[in-house]
């Protein structure tokens, strides 16, 4: 998928198309594009927040997991608890 295609998906997602937002999430996760995932989180996409939580947990990034958890992401809350338990 080229940048023009991603731009079209972004426009659809920005207009509230959840399928487009979910597709963008998949594409961003495949590329490891954390900036795009955060943009989608800022628009309220829970799938993007879940993927960011997974990436943060893989890196052991407690700060990012805390940020996502504070925003109400349940996956981040669970992963954060798990990582903290494993540290002790």
């Amino acid at each position: 998928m080229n940048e023009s295609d991603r731009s079209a998906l972004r426009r659809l997602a920005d207009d509230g198309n959840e399928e487009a937002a979910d597709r963008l999430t998949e594409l961003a996760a495949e590329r490891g594009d954390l900036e795009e995932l955060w943009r989608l989180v800022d628009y309220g996409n829970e799938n993007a927040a879940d993927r960011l939580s997974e990436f943060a947990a893989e890196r052991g990034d407690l700060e990012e997991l805390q940020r996502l958890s504070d925003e109400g992401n349940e996956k981040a809350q669970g992963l954060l608890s798990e990582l903290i338990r494993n540290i002790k």
Side-chain angles (χ1 to χ4, degrees), residues 9-74:
L9 278 174
R10 279 187 202 103
R11 283 191 299 278
L12 289 169
D14 291 347
D15 288 339
N17 183 312
E18 289 184 37
E19 287 181 37
D22 288 342
R23 180 69 179 128
L24 274 176
T25 296
E26 291 173 30
L27 292 169
E30 288 171 7
R31 292 188 325 272
D33 186 345
L34 303 181
E35 185 176 319
E36 180 77 29
L37 289 170
W38 272 112
R39 190 186 77 74
L40 290 161
V41 168
D42 290 341
Y43 278 98
N45 186 282
E46 192 69 22
N47 291 330
D50 288 347
R51 295 306 291 267
L52 276 172
S53 297
E54 292 165 0
F55 285 132
E58 288 171 8
R59 293 188 316 273
D61 189 338
L62 298 176
E63 189 174 310
E64 187 155 311
L65 280 171
Q66 184 65 56
R67 178 178 170 194
L68 289 159
S69 179
D70 289 347
E71 292 183 12
N73 183 269
E74 291 179 15

Side-chain angles (χ1 to χ4, degrees), residues 62 65-66 69 75-85:
L62 298 176
L65 280 171
Q66 184 65 56
S69 179
K75 184 168 204 110
Q77 292 167 356
L79 290 169
L80 182 60
S81 294
E82 184 178 314
L83 281 176
I84 289 171
R85 273 194 309 272

